[in-house]
């Protein structure tokens, strides 16, 4: 479904701020894989997702989605294959537009936009049913501006938008990090449900090791712009936070330096 | 007392003219609304493109082109001006404000070339003009004045209707989304550069059309007629916005926003006429426009800071501590610096 081969990216090349963000990332995702990605500060987790989404062009390597090399496509063209949810709840929705208008935009992701009505009556009914599923009462506020919603509500809506038109790949970039623990758990649960129901191929960056272990069928650990540990199936099910920390030190030869990750070490989820 | 009656008389006499002016500038302001409010792109091309629209319309009418066709081409010429600004921004990475300024200054030359001279009269006696200020003189009676004003009102209504339709379409949605959140728009597969250019083209096209109507109404095209147009446009947008919020509150929807933009323009010209009637020389008009825009931009900010300011915090803090045992540090130096 998704194959990354030796993807490299250097920011500010040739300057004092030069940063080798991706040093040859290779990854092969099967249809229906749900990968969680963890790693230290600046390990290249979000950068990997941005490379896939096409936020900027990569320096070398290939990114193949569904048999098609997308390296030459700008972000808006790749959107056809990709649904995304970002860390900042403000990022994923248009605040000055109505809830239903946001959904209508998302329903046309990757399609050419015509001069037909931006939202139809049939879609309104469809969105009403979908919003009910979120159980946040949003179905009764469809013509409210998204800017009036809370961070958790906006994140749930973004998740729904990202999957409204079934994406080949769903990219979740620390999408619960800005939420309070209770809301974060709810949004995570919703992510699980949507991914399972639609049998989506998904990648989730998280700083929460427990969450990374609990969710998905595969776990990838990154350091210094490389994948240093990749585990799936039975091995992944048997993982614990301690094993992960040990693996990290073995593979990278250093202590884990992600403060948020260590803080959350003992958190329940 | 006599003075007041004279003033009222003058005001009433100039009412049809001012409403007509307001409606024409309302068209321009609706164009400004698209960039300033929907696209969130402060487009200064307007000063140039309104004159371009006027110049094209004037030259065409003088050369025997039917008036409606000439007006259509003033729309097209405005579109081209917007295209320049848009392409500079999208393809060359020039910041929006600067791109607009460059277009505006370039258009000064273009407009001179189109017109051939700095001032080009288009007399209503010679040509079958769409509107003319000659026909809005109160002395002519309601029978002549009213149809003229209604024609202009019809233009505004048609433009609002078309824009209501357009911004309700799939493509209109992409422009609104681009103005609100470009990152999200790209993630939803929207080519934000393209939608930015399209919005600028549409906005300046409407501004050009306003120029085409304006030149007929005034009876001449002038190379300087667009100077400060953006400020008047912004004034109309902002006055309309504040007024609409106060009057309609939650029901201040898209159609109402556009309509109130036109109302804002009318109010601007009414206030301007009052300023003129009470004897302030017309040299001060531009200063007055700038002050109006400044006030209306400042009010929301000041209202916000009035709710929560360091000055207020210091006052509250004094109240609390003076009730207790801690002696109050008034912090006057800081309090003034909010």
């Amino acid at each position: 479904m998704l194959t990354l081969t030796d993807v490299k990216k250097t920011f500010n090349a040739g300057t004092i701020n030069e940063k080798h963000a991706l040093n040859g990332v290779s990854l092969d995702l099967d249809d229906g894989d749900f990968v969680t990605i963890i790693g230290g500060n600046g390990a290249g987790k979000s950068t990997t997702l941005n490379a896939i989404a096409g936020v900027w062009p990569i320096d070398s390597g290939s990114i193949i989605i569904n048999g098609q090399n997308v390296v030459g496509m700008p972000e808006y063209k790749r959107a056809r294959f990709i649904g995304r949810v970002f860390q900042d709840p403000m990022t994923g929705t248009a605040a000055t537009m109505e809830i239903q208008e946001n959904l209508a935009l998302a329903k046309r992701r990757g399609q050419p936009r015509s001069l037909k009505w931006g939202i139809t009556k049939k879609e309104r009914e469809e969105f009403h049913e979908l919003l009910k599923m979120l159980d946040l009462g949003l179905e009764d506020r469809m013509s409210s501006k998204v800017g009036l919603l809370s961070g958790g509500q906006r994140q749930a809506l973004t998740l729904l938008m990202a999957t409204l038109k079934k994406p080949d790949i769903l990219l979740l970039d620390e999408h619960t990090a800005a939420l309070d623990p209770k809301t974060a758990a709810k949004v995570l649960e919703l992510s699980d449900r949507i991914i399972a129901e639609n049998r989506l191929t998904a990648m989730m960056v998280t700083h929460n090791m427990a969450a990374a272990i609990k969710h998905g069928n595969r776990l990838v650990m990154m350091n210094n712009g490389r994948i240093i540990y990749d585990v799936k199936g039975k091995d992944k099910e048997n993982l614990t936070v301690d094993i992960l920390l040990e693996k990290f030190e073995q593979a990278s030869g250093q202590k884990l330096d992600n403060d948020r990750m260590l803080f959350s070490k003992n958190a329940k989820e | 007392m006599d003075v007041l009656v004279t003033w009222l008389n003058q005001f009433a006499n100039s009412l049809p003219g001012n409403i007509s002016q307001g409606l024409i500038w309302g068209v321009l302001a609706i164009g400004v609304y698209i960039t300033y409010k929907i696209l969130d792109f402060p487009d200064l091309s307007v000063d140039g493109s309104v004159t371009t629209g006027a110049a094209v319309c004037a030259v065409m009418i003088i050369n025997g082109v039917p008036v409606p066709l000439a007006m259509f081409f003033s729309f097209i010429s405005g579109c081209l001006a917007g295209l320049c600004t848009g392409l500079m921004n999208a393809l060359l990475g020039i910041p929006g404000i600067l791109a607009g300024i460059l277009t505006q200054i370039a258009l000064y030359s273009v407009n001179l070339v189109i017109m051939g001279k700095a001032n080009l009269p288009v007399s209503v006696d010679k040509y079958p003009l769409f509107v003319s200020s000659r026909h809005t003189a109160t002395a002519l009676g309601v029978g002549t004045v009213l149809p003229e004003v209604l024609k202009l009102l019809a233009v505004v209504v048609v433009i609002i209707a078309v824009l209501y339709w357009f911004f309700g379409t799939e493509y209109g949605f992409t422009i609104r989304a681009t103005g609100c959140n470009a990152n999200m728009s790209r993630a939803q597969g929207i080519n934000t550069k393209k939608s930015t250019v399209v919005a600028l083209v549409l906005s300046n096209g409407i501004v050009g059309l306003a120029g085409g109507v304006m030149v007929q109404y005034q009876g001449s095209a002038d190379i300087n007629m667009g100077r400060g147009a953006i400020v008047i446009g912004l004034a109309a947008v902002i006055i309309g916005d504040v007024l609409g919020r106060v009057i309609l509150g939650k029901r201040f929807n898209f159609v109402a926003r556009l309509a109130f933009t036109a109302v804002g323009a009318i109010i601007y010209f009414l206030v301007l006429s009052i300023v003129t009637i009470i004897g302030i020389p017309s040299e001060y008009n531009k200063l007055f426009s700038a002050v109006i825009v400044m006030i209306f931009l400042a009010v929301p900010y000041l209202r916000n800071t009035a709710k929560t300011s360091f000055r207020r915090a210091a006052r509250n803090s004094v109240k609390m501590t003076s009730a207790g045992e801690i002696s109050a540090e008034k912090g006057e130096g800081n309090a003034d610096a909010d």
Side-chain angles (χ1 to χ4, degrees), chain B residues 44-158:
Chain B
L44 303 185
S45 330
V46 171
D47 283 22
S49 51
V50 65
T51 315
T52 307
V56 166
C57 193
V59 168
M60 284 190 147
I61 290 175
I62 290 169
N63 286 302
V65 175
V67 171
L69 196 61
M71 284 165 71
F72 173 72
F73 275 99
S74 49
F75 173 80
I76 298 294
S77 64
C79 290
L80 291 175
L83 184 67
C84 293
T85 307
L87 292 182
M88 270 193 259
N89 178 252
L91 299 184
L92 306 179
I94 297 172
I97 289 192
L98 217 46
I101 292 176
L102 291 176
T103 302
Q104 181 197 118
I105 205 75
L107 283 178
Y108 188 88
S109 296
V110 173
N111 296 338
L112 265 181
V113 171
I114 295 173
M115 284 160 53
K117 50 184 177 175
N119 191 289
L120 197 60
V122 199
S123 168
V124 69
D125 300 330
K126 282 203 220 157
Y127 310 102
L129 300 185
F130 175 62
V131 283
S132 170
S133 59
R134 290 261 205 98
H135 300 152
T136 56
T138 323
L140 295 173
V142 179
T144 316
V145 174
L146 194 63
E148 209 71 357
V149 176
L150 287 181
K151 268 193 264 178
L152 291 171
L153 186 64
V155 173
V156 172
V157 169
V158 168

Side-chain angles (χ1 to χ4, degrees), chain B residues 75-283:
Chain B
F75 173 80
I76 298 294
S77 64
C79 290
L80 291 175
L83 184 67
C84 293
T85 307
L87 292 182
M88 270 193 259
N89 178 252
L91 299 184
L92 306 179
I94 297 172
I97 289 192
L98 217 46
I101 292 176
L102 291 176
T103 302
Q104 181 197 118
I105 205 75
L107 283 178
Y108 188 88
S109 296
V110 173
N111 296 338
L112 265 181
V113 171
I114 295 173
M115 284 160 53
K117 50 184 177 175
N119 191 289
L120 197 60
V122 199
S123 168
V124 69
D125 300 330
K126 282 203 220 157
Y127 310 102
L129 300 185
F130 175 62
V131 283
S132 170
S133 59
R134 290 261 205 98
H135 300 152
T136 56
T138 323
L140 295 173
V142 179
T144 316
V145 174
L146 194 63
E148 209 71 357
V149 176
L150 287 181
K151 268 193 264 178
L152 291 171
L153 186 64
V155 173
V156 172
V157 169
V158 168
I159 288 176
I160 291 177
V162 170
L163 291 182
Y164 172 74
W165 163 75
F166 178 70
F167 284 104
T169 64
E170 290 177 347
Y171 205 85
F173 272 38
T174 69
I175 292 176
R176 293 168 59 201
T178 302
C180 176
N181 185 343
N183 282 323
M184 171 267 192
S185 302
R186 283 188 290 272
Q188 297 300 342
I190 295 167
N191 184 346
T192 49
K193 286 184 175 176
K194 196 169 130 198
S195 53
T196 301
V197 173
V198 170
L200 282 164
V201 165
L202 180 64
S203 161
N204 280 287
I206 292 171
V207 171
L209 176 64
V213 178
M214 203 180 293
V215 68
Q216 299 179 62
Y217 185 79
Q218 294 178 353
S220 72
D222 189 279
I223 189 67
N224 286 320
M225 68 191 286
R227 184 163 286 175
I230 181 67
V231 180
I232 299 178
L234 280 180
V237 169
I238 297 161
I239 294 171
D241 190 60
V242 171
L243 211 66
R245 268 174 217 282
V246 172
I247 294 176
L248 292 179
K250 278 199 169 169
R251 286 170 301 139
F252 195 35
N253 59 25
F254 185 66
V255 170
R257 278 165 202 273
L258 295 181
F260 266 87
T261 299
V263 171
I266 294 172
I267 289 174
Y268 172 87
F269 279 94
L270 292 182
V271 176
L272 193 68
S273 90
I274 293 171
V275 171
T276 315
I277 287 169
I278 60 174
I280 295 172
S282 60
E283 288 92 315

Side-chain angles (χ1 to χ4, degrees), chain A residues 6-249:
Chain A
D6 203 22
V7 173
K8 288 185 181 164
K9 177 71 185 178
T10 302
F11 290 110
N12 305 313
T15 73
I16 195 159
N17 291 321
E18 187 171 87
K19 161 94 183 146
H20 297 284
L22 299 178
N23 286 314
V25 173
S26 297
L27 185 66
D28 196 7
L29 293 197
D30 292 328
D31 212 348
D33 264 356
F34 179 6
V35 189
T36 55
I37 306 178
I38 55 170
N41 302 331
K45 311 180 295 285
S46 293
T47 314
T48 303
L49 295 202
N50 286 341
I52 296 169
V55 177
W56 23 252
I58 58 172
D59 296 337
S60 64
S62 72
I63 300 171
I64 291 163
I65 301 177
N66 231 346
Q68 193 172 352
N69 193 345
V70 299
V71 161
M73 288 186 191
E75 188 178 7
Y76 75 89
K77 279 195 181 153
R78 286 191 213 181
R80 191 175 351 141
F81 312 108
I82 300 168
R84 285 155 81 193
V85 185
F86 311 90
Q87 179 173 353
D88 179 357
M90 306 300 141
T91 325
T93 43
T96 57
M97 295 177 76
E98 297 171 0
I99 293 177
Q100 54 186 1
E101 290 174 338
N102 272 274
L103 286 164
L105 274 172
K107 197 168 176 234
R108 290 161 181 76
R109 176 168 49 77
Q111 289 172 9
R113 319 279 171 141
S114 71
L115 291 176
K116 281 186 266 181
W117 287 115
I119 178 167
T120 63
K121 191 161 171 269
K122 209 177 122 215
E123 282 172 336
R124 269 177 240 261
E125 285 159 14
E126 182 193 337
F127 297 159
H128 190 268
E129 292 309 305
L130 281 167
L131 286 168
K132 245 190 207 162
M133 193 193 83
L134 294 185
D135 203 18
L136 294 168
L138 296 182
E139 66 272 17
D140 300 322
R141 303 172 60 189
M142 292 206 339
S143 54
S144 293
K145 298 270 152 57
V146 168
L148 300 171
L149 305 185
S150 70
Q153 288 173 326
R154 280 180 84 158
Q155 221 48 343
L157 180 63
T158 311
L159 198 56
L160 187 59
M161 286 166 62
T163 52
L164 192 52
K165 184 165 174 276
K166 191 180 168 187
D168 293 317
I169 313 282
L170 176 64
L171 302 178
L172 309 171
D173 190 357
E174 299 214 43
H175 68 308
T176 59
L179 307 175
D180 67 82
K182 213 173 140 196
T183 315
K186 245 183 160 175
V187 170
L188 260 180
E189 184 209 337
L190 180 68
S191 314
D192 263 351
R193 206 169 84 204
I194 289 180
I195 291 168
E197 275 172 12
N198 299 295
R199 273 187 246 115
L200 299 174
T201 310
M203 297 174 81
M204 177 170 87
V205 170
T206 176
H207 63 264
N208 185 324
M209 285 188 277
I213 292 169
K214 185 181 163 197
H215 298 272
N217 66 333
R218 186 167 168 188
L219 183 146
V220 159
M221 187 187 268
M222 293 189 73
N223 190 46
N224 273 333
R226 281 191 191 87
I227 291 174
I228 53 169
Y229 182 56
D230 184 347
V231 58
K232 59 180 157 185
K234 266 270 176 295
D235 291 338
K236 161 140 195 308
E237 279 164 34
N238 296 329
L239 271 182
T240 63
V241 171
D242 289 326
I243 297 176
L244 264 187
L245 283 172
E246 195 185 307
K247 289 282 177 199
F248 182 86
E249 278 160 37

